[in-house]
Amino acid sequence: NNNHGQIYSGRALEFDGVGDYLNAGSASSLDNIWINGGTVAVWIYCEDNTPSTDMEIFYKGAGTGPSEGWSFHLQTNGKLRFTVDTTGATDGNFVTSEILEADTWYRVVVAYNLGSSVSSMSGEAADIYINGIKSTLTTSTALVADYDSDETRDLVLGVGTTNHDDRFFKGMMCDAQIWDTKWTQSDVTFDYLNPESLALNNSGTSLTESNLKLWYPMQDGHRGQQSYVLDGAGTGLGDNLVTNPTCDANLSSSST
């Protein structure tokens, strides 16, 4: 009856909300990506959609203060928030109107274009997408032109603050990406509809491989016995250990 199904499967990393996070380090390739435009994309699954404290998805410290830098997180009211903190006084602040549900997978994307230089950032705004759809923002405060471009601190997933000791994420994440250019709606749509392909494969996209600065498929490891359903992820080596292996020293090498 032409009722064809399409399988989406894979694995994710689990964050316990207490001490788990992923540290991408402070490589120079991750500095100042927002000056020429940037995009963060990740699948998230929150065990609690209204946590007692904000839960960090991505955080990149900048400047000297503990709150300076940029942050993409889930607020205690279940809404997504993206902030670019300058010197602690003037921020870019963007909050979605949608409230995420608990125990539900979402593809969340934030795309931001700051302009061609630090001095031309004034007036630029962010777009936040949920499952391929551009979100209506209840708060949209464009960044003014005094952004602290000293982004030499770590980029982390699943925790906030420069000391990595607060705002722990509880749930799961998968397929996290950072690009140094702003995605178009076409790129966002393709990414959501093709979860096992990079947006590079979108027909007509202007994205290049050099724009992709970080990509964590998060498909490593598994728990117990699982069935792998053509998800494009290598299952890798098994975890069964060989006990007391023996070799016959008299065997000669040969090809069969």
Side-chain angles (χ1 to χ4, degrees):
N1 295 313
N2 293 319
N3 297 320
H4 303 300
Q6 186 171 0
I7 293 176
Y8 296 97
S9 66
R11 288 166 283 174
L13 287 184
E14 200 169 2
F15 296 77
D16 64 7
V18 178
D20 290 347
Y21 65 94
L22 190 157
N23 192 335
S26 57
S28 59
S29 61
L30 299 175
D31 292 344
N32 303 324
I33 63 171
W34 300 108
I35 290 180
N36 297 310
T39 300
V40 167
V42 61
W43 284 95
I44 62 171
Y45 178 101
C46 303
E47 294 183 12
D48 186 355
N49 64 329
T50 55
S52 57
T53 59
D54 292 350
M55 296 196 307
E56 202 72 52
I57 301 171
F58 278 87
Y59 174 81
K60 179 72 163 74
T64 57
S67 64
E68 293 179 39
W70 56 267
S71 165
F72 187 36
H73 57 270
L74 182 73
Q75 297 187 132
T76 56
N77 60 5
K79 298 180 179 181
L80 293 170
R81 184 186 185 206
F82 173 67
T83 63
V84 182
D85 193 307
T86 54
T87 59
T90 49
D91 305 332
N93 185 24
F94 309 90
V95 181
T96 62
S97 59
E98 294 86 352
I99 297 176
L100 301 190
E101 296 182 8
D103 300 327
T104 303
W105 279 105
Y106 292 96
R107 182 61 162 177
V108 295
V109 176
V110 56
Y112 200 115
N113 185 21
L114 294 182
S116 59
S117 66
V118 175
S119 62
S120 65
M121 293 177 184
S122 182
E124 297 290 350
D127 296 322
I128 299 177
Y129 300 85
I130 301 174
N131 290 346
I133 300 174
K134 189 175 180 178
S135 178
T136 300
L137 301 178
T138 59
T139 301
S140 181
T141 305
L143 181 68
V144 299
D146 62 354
Y147 176 60
D148 190 334
S149 60
D150 179 22
E151 290 193 10
T152 57
R153 298 180 183 272
D154 292 342
L155 185 152
V156 290
L157 287 74
V159 71
T161 75
T162 54
N163 296 321
H164 313 327
D165 59 1
D166 192 18
R167 298 158 65 118
F168 289 102
F169 184 88
K170 186 173 184 179
M172 292 180 283
M173 294 189 200
C174 185
D175 191 14
Q177 303 174 22
I178 289 185
W179 301 70
D180 69 354
T181 190
K182 184 178 182 180
W183 277 6
T184 64
Q185 174 67 71
S186 177
D187 294 327
V188 174
T189 301
F190 180 90
D191 170 77
Y192 176 65
L193 295 178
N194 301 273
E196 295 183 358
S197 297
L198 287 173
L200 289 171
N201 297 318
N202 181 23
S203 177
T205 186
S206 61
L207 298 173
T208 65
E209 286 188 7
S210 63
N211 295 133
L212 180 59
K213 298 304 179 182
L214 178 151
W215 180 25
Y216 291 137
M218 297 181 172
Q219 295 175 329
D220 297 329
H222 63 87
R223 180 181 297 169
Q225 298 298 318
Q226 294 184 0
S227 296
Y228 300 100
V229 190
L230 298 176
D231 63 355
T235 58
L237 297 175
D239 54 5
N240 295 324
L241 299 178
V242 177
T243 304
N244 298 325
T246 58
C247 297
D248 191 334
N250 295 321
L251 290 178
S252 61
S253 62
S254 64
S255 60
T256 58

